[in-house]
Amino acid sequence: MSTLIRNGLVINATGSHAADVLIEGEHIAALVTPGFSVRADEEIDAAGKYVIPGGIDVHTHMEMPFGGTQSADTFETGTVAAAWGGTTTIVDFAVQPKGSSLLSTLDKWHAKADGNCAVDYGFHMIISDVNDQSLKEMESCIAAGVNSFKMFMAYPGVFYATDGEILRAMQKARETGATIMMHAENGIAIDQLVAQALANGQGDPVQHGLTRPPELEGEATSRAIQLAKVTGSPLYIVHLSAAQALDAVTAARDTGQNVFAETCPQYLYLSLEDLARPGFEGAKYVASPPLRPKEHQSSLWRGLRTNDLSVVSTDHCPFCFKDQKQLGVGDFSKIPNGMPGVEHRVDLLHQGVVKGEITRERWVEIASTTPARMFGMYPRKGVIAPGADADVVVYDPGATQTISAETHHMAVDYSAYEGFELAGRVDTVFSRGRKVIADGAYHGSTGHGRFVSRDLNQYLV
Ligand code: URP
Ligand code: ZN
Ligand code: ZN
Ligand code: ZN
C-alpha cells in the first residue's frame, strides 16, 4: 500500500519546505518536489496544511494504580485518544511496587499494553524499591529496551527514594548510560505542610497547591542536579512547573552538565487560580507538581525557546471527577493526583506558534523530534524523512476547534481545558503507514500499536 500526501508544507525541526510525502508500507519512502509525478495507491491533498512527524508523548500513565484507584484510560482508550490528537507514540511508566522486581513489573506492563494499543508505545520504569536486585535488574531492563528510570523525591511512604537511594541508582545509570528521570519535589517538607493545613481544617483542593510551594520544587531540582553531578549521571527532570526549578536546570546546563527537562501543557496554560475554583471544582486540576501562579508561565515559554526545557509531554494521568476525584472531598491529600491531556498536547502547543511564543519548527521539535532523540527512537521516529516510520500528521492550521469533554476521546468525564478555543486541528494521522484518523473518524485498530524498544539518550556527551 502506498500513499502520496501532496501539496503540504513539510515541517521538521530543522526547517520547512513544500514537498510531497510518499509513504510505502510502514515507512516514508521519499520526499518529492511538488509537481513531479509519482504513482501511489492513494493520494491525499494537503494544500494549505502542514505535514509533521507524529507527536511523541514521553510521559503518560495508562491504567496506573494510584491512591487506591487506577487512572481512567486503558492502553486502548488512551492510545486511541492520542491518535485523535496527532500523537503516534507514547512512553508510559511501568510502576515497581515496593517488594517486587523490575522485571516482573515490566512483564506486568507488557501484559496490559501488548495487543491493546492503537499507536506505538514504549516504557520507562519507576523504581520505588532501591536494592541490590533492582539495581542489577536495571541492566536487564536496558537490554529489553527500557533505559530510563523515574524516581521520586516526593510521596514519602509510597514512591519516595532517599538521597542515598537516588545516589545509588544514579551510579548505576552512569555505569550503563541510562537516564534517571526525577520527580523533583521535597516530599518530606511538603508532608509537614499538608499535615499542618489539614490540622487547621483547610481541606479544599487549593491547599494542594499552597502546600507544595515552588521553592520546594526548586530545592529538590537543585539537589537532584548536585547528586547527578557527583555521580556523573544524566538527569531528566519530569513535569517541571516552577521558575525556581527552571533556574536550577538552566544554571546546570550552562556548566555543560547533562541535565534536561520537560514541562507539560497544564503548566503553560492553567494556573493556581484553576485549583482555587469554587466548591470542589479545583480537584479537576490536582496534579503534582501543582499548577503555579500565572507568572511562572512566561518563564516556561522562555525555557522552551532557550532549550532549557527541551520536551513537552502531558503527564496524562486521568481520574474521573464524579467518582475518583471525590475520594478527596474535605481532604485534598486524598484527591488522586493527575490530569488528562494526551489528546490535546499537539493542539495546545500549536497555540504557542499562533501566539508567537515558538516557531513552527520548534513546535515540531519539542513535541516529536527531541522526545525521539532523548529517548532513543530517532530517526525511526521524530522526523519526516525517507526511511523513518510513516508516523505522519496532516495538520490544518486554518481550522478551529473547541475542547470539550463531550467530544474528546479520553475515558474521563471532564476536560481540564473545557471551552478552550484553539486555532488549528489534526486532519489526518498515519501510524506506521496505517491511516488511523481521517475525515473526522477513527480508522485504526486495537493491537496495531507496537512496543518500541528504545536506544540510549542521543543527547549525552
Ligand atoms: O500528579 C501526577 N503528576 N500524577 C502522575 C504521577 C506523577 O507523579 O507523574
Ligand atoms: Zn511525577
Ligand atoms: Zn507522571
Ligand atoms: Zn521501521
Side-chain angles (χ1 to χ4, degrees):
M1 171 73 188
S2 59
T3 306
L4 186 67
I5 304 173
R6 295 179 58 234
N7 304 319
L9 180 72
V10 173
I11 306 177
N12 276 313
T14 47
S16 307
H17 65 293
D20 295 350
V21 177
L22 178 66
I23 296 173
E24 270 179 12
E26 297 197 345
H27 296 98
I28 295 170
L31 267 63
V32 185
T33 305
F36 263 67
S37 74
V38 173
R39 211 188 294 275
D41 300 328
E42 191 191 1
E43 287 198 3
I44 289 180
D45 184 13
K49 296 173 185 157
Y50 301 153
V51 182
I52 59 174
I56 301 178
D57 189 343
V58 295
H59 191 147
T60 68
H61 302 278
M62 308 302 176
E63 316 180 27
M64 187 184 85
F66 189 98
T69 182
Q70 176 165 301
S71 60
D73 265 312
T74 61
F75 277 91
E76 179 170 7
T77 61
T79 53
V80 169
W84 274 102
T87 286
T88 50
T89 307
I90 63 163
V91 186
D92 200 87
F93 287 84
V95 189
Q96 177 198 27
K98 281 209 195 297
S100 72
S101 78
L102 294 187
L103 287 177
S104 66
T105 301
L106 193 52
D107 286 347
K108 237 195 272 178
W109 253 258
H110 272 296
K112 293 185 200 217
D114 295 357
N116 292 322
C117 291
V119 299
D120 289 353
Y121 60 97
F123 296 128
H124 312 285
M125 178 63 65
I126 287 177
I127 306 183
S128 39
D129 208 348
V130 177
N131 54 46
D132 291 347
Q133 188 195 337
S134 294
L135 293 172
K136 186 75 196 154
E137 282 185 324
M138 285 173 71
E139 294 169 20
S140 315
C141 288
I142 293 165
V146 175
N147 48 48
S148 34
F149 299 87
K150 185 180 177 191
M151 302 189 79
F152 288 81
M153 302 168 101
Y155 305 127
V158 191
F159 302 124
Y160 176 83
T162 65
D163 290 352
E165 289 166 342
I166 290 168
L167 184 101
R168 290 185 73 199
M170 283 180 167
Q171 287 170 329
K172 194 67 180 184
R174 163 70 192 179
E175 185 190 314
T176 55
T179 294
I180 296 294
M181 307 172 78
M182 191 60 75
H183 182 131
E185 287 186 290
N186 184 328
I188 300 287
I190 286 168
D191 268 12
Q192 291 304 318
L193 296 176
V194 169
Q196 289 166 12
L198 290 173
N200 288 334
Q202 296 165 314
D204 290 343
V206 69
Q207 293 298 326
H208 176 77
L210 300 177
T211 56
R212 307 179 87 92
E215 288 77 8
L216 295 185
E217 185 185 349
E219 183 277 329
T221 303
S222 303
R223 185 156 35 99
I225 288 169
Q226 296 306 325
L227 291 167
K229 186 166 186 187
V230 167
T231 56
S233 158
L235 175 66
Y236 179 93
I237 304 289
V238 292
H239 47 47
L240 187 148
S241 71
Q244 288 87 338
L246 178 58
D247 287 347
V249 168
T250 302
R253 288 175 59 82
D254 285 350
T255 72
Q257 200 180 331
N258 278 324
V259 174
F260 313 97
E262 66 176 16
T263 190
C264 311
Q266 54 269 35
Y267 303 121
L268 294 165
Y269 291 105
L270 304 172
S271 76
L272 189 61
E273 288 175 24
D274 292 297
L275 265 174
R277 287 183 187 216
F280 194 59
E281 274 291 298
K284 294 178 177 175
Y285 303 91
V286 167
S288 295
L291 300 179
R292 301 300 185 188
K294 269 204 173 76
E295 52 270 25
H296 290 257
Q297 293 172 357
S298 60
S299 298
L300 299 182
W301 282 112
R302 177 172 43 78
L304 285 172
R305 288 190 293 275
T306 60
N307 203 37
D308 291 312
L309 293 171
S310 32
V311 170
V312 176
S313 68
T314 58
D315 194 8
H316 175 75
C317 191
F319 295 100
C320 286
F321 183 66
K322 73 170 181 305
D323 45 10
Q324 298 178 297
K325 290 282 186 183
Q326 305 295 321
L327 293 168
V329 173
D331 178 352
F332 66 89
S333 73
K334 296 204 163 58
I335 300 170
N337 282 201
M339 285 168 54
V342 73
E343 190 168 344
H344 295 118
R345 183 183 61 118
V346 172
D347 285 324
L348 286 165
L349 287 176
H350 182 251
Q351 307 318 298
V353 176
V354 174
K355 296 208 172 82
E357 295 281 5
I358 51 173
T359 63
R360 293 186 295 210
E361 292 76 18
R362 183 64 179 157
W363 170 51
V364 166
E365 189 166 37
I366 60 183
S368 178
T369 311
T370 298
R373 295 185 69 190
M374 190 76 70
F375 294 99
M377 297 181 272
Y378 186 90
R380 218 178 346 157
K381 300 193 179 293
V383 63
I384 300 287
D389 284 356
D391 293 348
V392 179
V393 173
V394 178
Y395 195 84
D396 184 355
T400 57
Q401 59 175 313
T402 305
I403 297 184
S404 174
E406 312 240 304
T407 49
H408 75 199
H409 302 86
M410 300 175 283
V412 59
D413 62 357
Y414 76 95
S415 173
Y417 306 99
E418 187 69 37
F420 271 48
E421 289 175 15
L422 305 186
R425 74 177 302 155
V426 169
D427 180 289
T428 306
V429 179
F430 292 86
S431 163
R432 274 184 293 101
R434 168 87 179 263
K435 197 162 64 176
V436 290
I437 301 291
D439 309 315
Y442 172 67
H443 301 277
S445 63
T446 304
H448 165 79
R450 248 188 237 150
F451 175 68
V452 183
S453 178
R454 297 181 294 103
D455 301 323
L456 296 177
N457 185 337
Q458 294 161 347
Y459 284 104
L460 297 183
V461 287

